Amino acid sequence: MKRRMGLVAIAALLAGSAFADPVEGVDLVINGDETLVIRAPAPPAVSDIFDEVYSGWLYRDEATRAMEEDDFDNPGMVFVDQALDTWAAEDGSEGKSCASCHQGIESMAGVRAGMPKMNAAGDDLWSLENFINNCRTNRMGAEAWGWNSPEMLNMTAAISLQSRGLPVAVETDGPAHDWWEKGKEIYYTRYGQLELSCANCHEQNNGRYIRSDHLSQGQLSGFPVYRLKNAGLVSIHNRFKGCIRDTRAETYKEGSPEFRALELYVASRGAGLDVEGVGVRH
Amino acid sequence: MMQRIWPAAAVLISFGCAAAAGPAPDDVAWDGSAVDASLTGTPGDPENGAAVMSSRADGNCVACHVVSSLSADFQGNVGPSLDGVGDRWSEAELRGIVIDAKHTFDGTVMPSFYKTGPYIRPGDAFTGKAADGPLPPLLNASQVEDVVAYLVTLKE
């Protein structure tokens, strides 16, 4: 009896003050004029779990949050500029650039918000990176970029920026459904010697601290993010890799079917949050 | 604070490589969710237990628990504070929690510290690569006893 009381008292304490939730009373307003949706009613994938979903921005400290509020302070923007040069540069045997087919990069508006999605043949789920490499290899006659190469990271950042302010909205029915189910299974699998799942940290314990890290809901709306710790851009799959590695597990590879499936499922958990373009995180 | 950490680190270096005595993880004698017998047959060293709990490379218990008497920085709150835990649980119960807390708390996120598997995609520590072979438990038998010896001292 004594023990039970103790646990109940502790649980109450955790639910109260010690449980540091996403910061309240702040909005993400970019350059003083564009307000992004960083809290949204829970979408169908998580409506039985959360009332609301939150951008990872809300779990970061004030200085980090401020960097994302101004494009001049956002260290990710220089990479966007580099990608704009690449966008217009011819490459490969066909003598084409991205602009040759797509004109201005504004034509990419909405693309990030719907990723990942089924390819045109309808036989594979592709991340943004796969679509980019498909253009490079099949349309430009150029070499594929590595998943973590600067060219790829920069280009995904520049394309994501075109969806800034548009809500994440991924297709989870039809041929994508099996992928979504697979991603869900991965999300709840307790990997590695520490036996921790994505859900253990980002569903059960978001808002709490694991050592110095303030756990968020693990949403994708800020990606690719500029990570201060890495002093560079980080892709979605690279983030997944780091999280699984931290459970003392063997990770999957960037671009693997497992990570593409997981990306679709995790994206669906954040449907309704605005794409941030380039988020800034620790 | 420094005084507490340094002698403990010295203990770790001198005993850290000693062959782990005691039953293999699969042979631990459970009494419900408690384990009555010391894994080593000798009393643990609470000072080293404190070091094991604070060290990122060993227990890293403070990743999830506040322990006010430890000087470790950035103590987390995924689990409850361990202050007063020596009043709430017996030594045998605490040993059970440290060995494999899933016996006490069904489905808990707390890792099992004296267990060798089975695991899903076990990795080679924090490299992200596949484990090279069977993994040793996260803590060896004497580290478990040292941690238990420290936990029983945590009284309000």
Side-chain angles (χ1 to χ4, degrees):
Chain A
M1 207 43 205
K2 190 171 124 214
R3 178 190 313 149
R4 285 235 158 263
M5 300 288 284
L7 282 173
V8 169
I10 287 158
L13 202 93
L14 279 175
S17 58
F19 195 154
D21 281 318
V23 62
E24 280 173 33
V26 295
D27 287 314
L28 175 48
V29 185
I30 309 265
N31 303 331
D33 62 13
E34 192 179 0
T35 304
L36 300 186
V37 173
I38 48 170
R39 303 174 186 86
V46 287
S47 56
D48 54 340
I49 298 160
F50 299 131
D51 292 334
E52 275 192 307
V53 289
Y54 304 108
S55 158
W57 182 82
L58 282 165
Y59 296 78
R60 304 281 59 96
D61 63 26
E62 202 176 340
T64 309
R65 291 201 310 272
M67 282 178 148
E68 193 178 327
E69 286 182 287
D70 186 326
D71 281 341
F72 284 106
D73 296 334
N74 183 334
M77 288 303 152
V78 37
F79 300 107
V80 170
D81 287 340
Q82 290 175 16
L84 294 182
D85 293 339
T86 312
W87 178 265
E90 290 172 7
D91 196 5
S93 58
E94 304 305 302
K96 287 183 185 154
S97 68
C98 315
S100 312
C101 293
H102 299 288
Q103 288 76 43
I105 197 166
E106 318 77 56
S107 64
M108 293 287 125
V111 169
R112 161 86 274 162
M115 291 288 170
K117 65 180 180 190
M118 297 306 293
N119 63 1
D123 60 3
D124 204 5
L125 182 84
W126 282 3
S127 298
L128 179 54
E129 286 87 344
N130 299 111
F131 283 93
I132 293 173
N133 271 340
N134 182 50
C135 282
R136 285 190 53 81
T137 55
N138 291 329
R139 302 204 172 95
M140 297 167 68
E143 271 179 37
W145 284 327
W147 206 275
N148 285 325
S149 65
E151 292 86 356
M152 182 63 90
L153 289 167
N154 298 354
M155 191 55 74
T156 58
I159 291 176
S160 298
L161 185 60
Q162 311 310 313
S163 291
R164 178 186 269 175
L166 298 174
V168 171
V170 284
E171 181 59 69
T172 57
D173 293 332
H177 193 71
D178 286 349
W179 289 91
W180 185 85
E181 288 288 354
K182 175 72 187 160
K184 182 175 184 180
E185 184 192 321
I186 293 174
Y187 196 86
Y188 287 98
T189 299
R190 300 186 65 162
Y191 288 108
Q193 201 178 7
L194 299 183
E195 297 178 285
L196 292 171
S197 68
C198 313
N200 286 148
C201 287
H202 295 295
E203 181 173 303
Q204 279 174 256
N205 284 300
N206 71 81
R208 298 207 172 107
Y209 283 87
I210 188 159
R211 203 88 203 226
S212 61
D213 286 314
H214 193 195
L215 288 166
S216 71
Q217 291 180 345
Q219 299 291 3
L220 302 182
S221 47
F223 279 82
V225 296
Y226 182 88
R227 242 189 119 181
L228 299 166
K229 193 174 154 193
N230 303 43
L233 295 175
V234 171
S235 70
I236 291 167
H237 291 196
N238 193 14
R239 178 77 241 193
F240 289 168
K241 219 173 141 174
C243 283
I244 294 194
R245 180 200 59 215
D246 287 349
T247 69
R248 289 176 167 259
E250 178 191 2
T251 66
Y252 298 105
K253 289 192 174 58
E254 287 100 344
S256 61
E258 289 85 359
F259 275 173
R260 284 180 278 130
L262 183 62
E263 181 183 342
L264 177 63
Y265 176 69
V266 179
S268 77
R269 294 174 64 103
L273 293 171
D274 277 352
V275 172
E276 291 166 31
V278 188
V280 183
R281 304 289 188 262
H282 282 316
Chain B
M1 280 174 190
M2 290 301 272
Q3 260 164 343
R4 179 177 300 126
I5 294 299
W6 285 113
V11 169
L12 211 104
I13 290 158
S14 48
F15 293 127
C17 301
D26 285 343
D27 300 333
V28 168
W30 289 92
D31 174 9
S33 56
V35 177
D36 296 321
S38 159
L39 295 182
T40 57
T42 49
D45 169 8
E47 216 173 321
N48 190 45
V52 168
M53 289 180 65
S54 306
S55 152
R56 279 172 209 273
D58 295 320
N60 202 11
C61 312
V62 291
C64 294
H65 294 286
V66 168
V67 188
S68 306
S69 50
L70 293 176
S71 57
D73 59 356
F74 301 118
Q75 303 184 359
N77 61 0
V78 165
S81 162
L82 298 185
D83 293 352
V85 89
D87 294 321
R88 295 195 286 278
W89 303 93
S90 70
E91 182 187 315
E93 288 170 329
L94 289 169
R95 185 176 291 109
I97 293 173
V98 177
I99 290 175
D100 188 351
K102 279 140 192 135
H103 290 242
T104 309
F105 310 106
D106 193 30
T108 185
V109 301
M110 179 162 154
S112 307
F113 286 94
Y114 197 65
K115 173 177 158 177
T116 47
Y119 299 118
I120 299 170
R121 295 178 73 84
D124 176 12
F126 292 109
T127 62
K129 300 204 168 68
D132 244 356
L135 291 170
L138 289 164
L139 298 179
N140 65 35
S142 49
Q143 287 173 318
V144 169
E145 289 307 322
D146 294 349
V147 168
V148 171
Y150 185 70
L151 292 175
V152 297
T153 69
L154 298 177
K155 310 234 182 208
E156 304 274 27

